[in-house]
Amino acid sequence: MPAAPTTPSAFLAACRSEPHDHVPVWFMRQAGRSLPEYRSVRGPGSILDAIAQPDLAAEITLQPVRRYGVDAAILYSDIVVPAAAIGFGVDVAPGTGPVVEQPFRSAADLDRLRPLEPDTDTPYVLETVDLLVRELTVPLIGFAGAPFTVASYLIEGAPSRTYGRTKALMLEDEPLWHLLLDRLADIAITSITSQVAHGARAAQLFDSWAGALAPPDYVRYVLPHSTKVLDAVRTLGVPTIHFGVGTGEILASMADAGSDVVGVDWRVPLDVARSRVHPDQALQGNLDPARCLAGWEVVADGVRDVLARNGGHPGHVFNLGHGVLPETDPGILEQVVALVHDEGTVQPAPTD
Ligand code: CP3
């Protein structure tokens, strides 16, 4: 296994609310269609084909690190890669998102979700991680889709606005629901564990669509499974980040799942979010990605507002509240990184 970089990382320190010298920043979906260099190397076809080519996937992961000077890289992959790799029949349609030939409908479909064996099912992911840890001077973030969000794709068969079928299965057949989410939790754990074994230095659990749930349903049907994933990843010794969109009403419950960092979208001001998580947890976020489509002064005001609401708390990783929109001008994101690095301040860790 390659040696870990020895330079101290502001990103890793902020994840643990430990002292560091500048506010770290990275962007969800920093690699992708907003970058001309991405569009020129990506090639046509499914993103799964690009992910299966380690040289290409590593290059795409590095592109935003070079261009923006962000404090962390995120592996170029997708949350449906493990399910696709074990043969569930998932693809990612350009411009749409994950689509499934035969969606999950009944207990018989559990047989289509055998355990993930990363060395043989996703060797290309591990090769990409190997290439990256040799090149990178900032930490690599590994990730997995959280059980609920992956289940929503497997059950709906395509991106959904209502999650109607997902919720119907969850509410009608609770035993099957828990069996499904338990399998997806195991797959997430195995996937993240393999990425960390190859040198990823933090792990983000994406429960992007958990905000669609009523809070009591989140607690009953989803929280135990996300907690299981985060408990397992904690034993690996890397910081964990737990993120979803539209999660204001469930933020305290998501915090209870026990990650080091709670990701916050733009709908909850960061100072309010702080009051909803545990005192030792860090926050990640939360500039509205759409704000980056407005002029620089508007963007700068938004960046300064996020920094002010954090008030120099050492447990803050600057990010957008969700992924970079494809139409974003990369020049604006470059300026965001510079502004966060120039004006962000980090107070000493609280002693209480
Ligand atoms: O830079 C990064 O953030 C790293 C790579 C990354 C991708 N997907 C690449 C990708 C990560 C971390 C993901 C996770 C992912 N995939 C999530 C969770 C994060 C989130 O956005 O909430 C979700 C929900 C998915 C499922 C998925 N994959 C969707 C909804 C889409 C968008 C469809 C589209 O074309 O707009 C994808 C495709 C996808 N995954 C792209 C990228 C860069 C789009 C571009 C392409 O096909 O080249």
Side-chain angles (χ1 to χ4, degrees):
M1 209 180 295
T6 48
T7 41
S9 158
F11 165 72
L12 294 175
C15 287
R16 302 209 188 272
S17 304
E18 287 166 359
H20 49 284
D21 62 0
H22 68 274
V23 177
V25 49
W26 69 281
F27 304 115
M28 291 182 278
R29 286 282 165 87
Q30 61 191 15
R33 283 172 301 195
S34 63
L35 291 180
E37 59 269 36
Y38 175 78
R39 297 194 296 269
S40 73
V41 299
R42 160 75 166 79
S46 169
I47 191 175
L48 299 183
D49 297 332
I51 290 166
Q53 300 171 54
D55 287 328
L56 180 58
E59 165 60 21
I60 291 173
T61 304
L62 291 166
Q63 286 176 344
V65 179
R66 288 188 202 115
R67 185 189 268 261
Y68 299 132
V70 280
D71 295 271
I74 182 151
L75 179 68
Y76 181 72
S77 183
D78 198 86
I79 59 168
V80 296
V81 163
I86 60 172
F88 196 84
V90 193
D91 202 353
V92 182
T96 305
V99 285
V100 176
E101 270 161 50
Q102 290 173 32
F104 188 99
R105 288 285 173 267
S106 69
D109 293 315
L110 286 174
D111 294 340
R112 298 163 60 204
L113 285 169
R114 67 163 170 81
L116 179 73
E117 291 168 21
D119 289 343
T120 46
D121 291 326
T122 51
Y124 45 86
V125 171
L126 303 180
E127 222 177 291
T128 304
V129 175
D130 289 341
L131 290 171
L132 285 167
V133 295
R134 262 178 249 148
E135 288 280 320
L136 282 166
T137 54
V138 293
L140 177 68
I141 304 170
F143 71 89
F148 172 77
T149 291
V150 175
S152 78
Y153 284 116
L154 302 188
I155 296 168
E156 302 292 334
S160 166
R161 276 179 198 281
T162 60
Y163 305 95
R165 280 182 179 273
T166 307
K167 291 182 184 180
L169 190 150
M170 177 181 91
L171 298 167
E172 268 177 9
D173 193 343
E174 183 168 3
L176 176 59
W177 173 261
H178 287 301
L179 288 171
L180 170 59
L181 264 69
D182 192 56
R183 289 212 181 188
L184 295 175
D186 286 338
I187 289 171
I189 291 166
T190 307
S191 178
I192 289 176
T193 302
S194 67
Q195 296 168 47
V196 171
H198 282 252
R201 299 177 72 201
Q204 179 151 333
L205 188 63
F206 281 101
D207 210 352
S208 301
W209 313 134
L213 291 165
D217 290 342
Y218 176 79
V219 170
R220 174 167 176 159
Y221 298 102
V222 175
L223 177 59
H225 303 286
S226 296
T227 303
K228 174 177 155 169
V229 177
L230 291 164
D231 282 349
V233 176
R234 184 176 315 105
T235 67
L236 306 174
V238 299
T240 53
I241 309 167
H242 188 195
F243 168 79
V245 183
T247 54
E249 294 296 329
I250 60 168
L251 207 60
S253 299
M254 284 183 74
D256 287 343
S259 57
D260 296 287
V261 187
V262 178
V264 186
D265 86 356
W266 63 93
R267 294 173 180 86
V268 183
L270 216 59
D271 49 330
V272 178
R274 182 75 67 192
S275 70
R276 296 183 186 176
V277 304
H278 296 274
D280 60 344
Q281 281 176 316
L283 296 176
Q284 176 173 279
N286 69 345
L287 186 69
D288 185 346
R291 195 172 181 110
C292 295
L293 305 181
W296 169 244
E297 285 311 317
V298 176
V299 180
D301 283 351
V303 171
R304 291 189 174 109
D305 183 60
V306 171
L307 292 172
R309 288 179 188 280
N310 180 61
H313 193 296
H316 179 221
V317 176
F318 194 100
N319 205 313
L320 305 181
H322 197 191
V324 173
L325 296 171
E327 57 271 43
T328 307
D329 171 0
I332 290 281
L333 296 183
E334 224 168 289
Q335 285 177 277
V336 169
V337 172
L339 185 61
V340 171
H341 284 168
D342 285 351
E343 293 190 10
T345 54
V346 187
Q347 307 295 333
T351 46
D352 55 335

